[in-house]
Amino acid sequence: MSCVPADQIRCRVHQIVSETPVLDIHTHLYSPPFGDLLLWGPDELVTYHYLIAEVSRTDRSVSPDRFYAMSKPEQAAHIWQRCFVEHGPVSEARRGVLTALTALGADVSGKDYAAIRAHFAGRTVEAHVDAVFAAANCSGVVMTNDPLDDLERPVWVNGFTEDPRFKPALRIDGLLVFLERNVDRLASMGYAISTALDKTDLANARQFLSDWISMMAPMYVAVSLPDTFCYPEDSLPGKLIAEAVLPVCRDMRVPFALMIGVKRLINPSLKLAGDGVGRADVGSVARLCEENPDVNFLCTLLSLENQHELAVTARKFPNLMPFGCWWFLNDPSMIEQITRLRMELLGTSFIPQHSDCRILDQLVYK
């Protein structure tokens, strides 16, 4: 084995990382059989909720209600004009759009959105999937799959031809965080789970999880939790985690992924674009790991202030795997800071990144 001269190491490492296909362990993407749940193409890319938040700052003459009353192409044209033509596209979200469009063959130099849309006209979703995966050098993605979604559930129940590049993950926010609004839906699926969470309710919750793990064969079970999450806690999420999620994950040997720190709808008028960030209690993560050494936990936290404590906690618990720079942390300056911190504390025993992308095209830059 030949030695690499010191002055060539940086170049060689950059080459190896650039050429190595990646598995994106957390996205909100779907394979084509899920139909309209898979978002793709320039209109979806330009109307991503980050850009909706940014255009609300750039042009306050258009209210959120007026914006959401527009059609998707009208929204895209509005954002393009305000955020890419009239103002410099210097934010990460705007630069990412240009990176993705350019990598997929569109000419953005003329700032002509109609021409950009025309470039993708007539392309099939299957062809676009192949083009995006090639441009991103991505070997596969892990989806976010919610059996309580009335559009998604029939696809699983009726069966479909699986694309091995799209791997499932069982998302359970609807059970843990929004149980009240899903009691009737769960009952219609054969799982009577009331908010009383008596023994029968908890048994049915375990059955729900077991059945859907068997149906999907997910890479992990996942939930997005608010910054106020605490464990242990005498609350609906606390009881369900302790008496349903953890026993099932233990018995079926499925990791439990925790994404903590979202403050939902701090500006309700912006809808999906209106969520914020809060500092989480890392001590709750430590208690979960300590009390459940035979359960593997994935964890990503939304607040920058939590990252050092999470990395230190991971040093103490081998069943804790920090992953990615989630959501508002997915900016180059913070990615570099967080990744350096983790590598200095954990070596390579962490997952440095995931895209969290909602639009297929975002794989190219996220």
Side-chain angles (χ1 to χ4, degrees):
M1 186 171 109
S2 60
C3 294
V4 179
D7 61 350
Q8 296 181 22
I9 289 177
R10 179 181 293 274
C11 181
R12 182 68 65 86
V13 169
H14 186 274
Q15 177 187 2
I16 292 170
V17 171
S18 297
E19 294 178 355
T20 301
V22 297
L23 171 64
D24 189 349
I25 71 153
H26 171 55
T27 76
H28 292 268
L29 302 178
Y30 296 85
S31 59
F34 287 89
D36 291 342
L37 290 173
L38 172 59
L39 305 178
W40 62 283
D43 284 352
E44 296 292 352
L45 185 63
V46 175
T47 58
Y48 179 47
H49 64 80
Y50 280 30
L51 277 301
I52 293 174
E54 291 187 23
V55 80
S56 75
R57 295 180 56 80
T58 302
D59 183 2
R60 295 177 64 184
S61 68
V62 177
S63 69
D65 286 346
R66 182 179 164 195
F67 174 84
Y68 283 114
M70 299 177 184
S71 67
K72 182 74 69 173
E74 289 172 339
Q75 291 177 354
H78 171 69
I79 291 175
W80 184 264
Q81 181 65 28
R82 298 294 185 267
C83 294
F84 293 87
V85 177
E86 297 177 3
H87 295 82
V90 297
S91 72
E92 175 64 8
R94 299 183 209 186
R95 291 168 60 226
V97 168
L98 300 180
T99 298
L101 291 173
T102 301
L104 295 171
D107 180 6
V108 300
S109 62
K111 300 184 179 181
D112 184 347
Y113 189 63
I116 291 170
R117 293 186 85 239
H119 173 77
F120 295 97
R123 179 177 290 189
T124 66
V125 63
E126 291 79 10
H128 199 66
V129 167
D130 291 340
V132 169
F133 271 73
N137 195 19
C138 188
S139 63
V141 300
V142 179
M143 303 180 283
T144 291
N145 302 111
D146 182 0
L148 297 182
D149 186 312
D150 292 336
L151 295 177
E152 179 175 350
R153 185 170 60 256
V155 181
W156 290 103
V157 172
N158 297 330
F160 61 98
T161 301
E162 296 186 21
D163 183 331
R165 294 174 295 182
F166 291 84
K167 305 177 188 303
L170 175 57
R171 188 66 173 256
I172 57 172
D173 296 40
L175 177 67
L176 295 190
V177 183
F178 304 114
L179 175 59
E180 294 95 331
R181 71 177 66 165
N182 285 308
V183 168
D184 290 343
R185 181 173 285 106
L186 283 160
S188 71
M189 295 167 60
Y191 306 98
I193 306 171
S194 76
T195 57
L197 291 185
D198 60 21
K199 290 183 178 180
T200 300
D201 295 322
L202 290 166
N204 287 338
R206 289 190 292 271
Q207 190 64 53
F208 167 79
L209 293 167
S210 299
D211 288 349
W212 281 95
I213 289 172
S214 298
M215 168 96 64
M216 291 181 178
M219 300 285 287
Y220 52 79
V221 173
V223 64
S224 175
L225 295 163
D227 59 309
T228 55
F229 169 71
C230 184
Y231 184 88
E233 185 178 59
D234 186 19
S235 63
L236 291 177
K239 290 180 181 178
L240 284 164
I241 288 173
E243 301 186 52
V245 179
L246 292 173
V248 172
C249 286
R250 180 181 297 111
D251 292 345
M252 302 189 77
R253 296 184 172 274
V254 178
F256 184 26
L258 299 160
M259 295 173 280
I260 312 173
V262 60
K263 286 188 173 181
R264 299 185 190 277
L265 295 178
I266 63 172
N267 184 350
S269 69
L270 291 178
K271 300 184 180 181
L272 186 61
D275 290 345
V277 56
R279 187 181 303 183
D281 172 26
V282 183
S284 292
V285 178
R287 287 187 288 276
L288 280 164
C289 294
E290 179 186 12
E291 295 175 11
N292 302 276
D294 48 357
V295 175
N296 289 324
F297 295 92
L298 294 156
C299 186
T300 191
L301 302 178
L302 194 52
S303 172
L304 179 62
E305 289 77 13
N306 280 141
Q307 302 310 313
H308 179 244
E309 188 177 359
L310 177 63
V312 171
T313 301
R315 284 173 61 92
K316 311 305 174 186
F317 296 102
N319 59 331
L320 175 59
M321 176 65 73
F323 74 98
C325 299
W326 180 33
W327 204 340
F328 301 116
L329 296 177
N330 198 15
D331 288 322
S333 60
M334 287 182 283
I335 291 170
E336 180 174 2
Q337 176 184 350
I338 293 166
T339 305
R340 283 180 177 273
L341 166 69
R342 289 173 174 171
M343 189 166 289
E344 290 165 1
L345 285 171
L346 301 171
T348 58
S349 63
F350 66 98
I351 298 171
Q353 189 56 306
H354 67 270
S355 74
D356 195 31
C357 63
R358 291 180 177 272
I359 294 92
L360 177 67
D361 311 48
Q362 292 175 331
L363 274 178
V364 175
Y365 82 93
K366 282 182 173 285

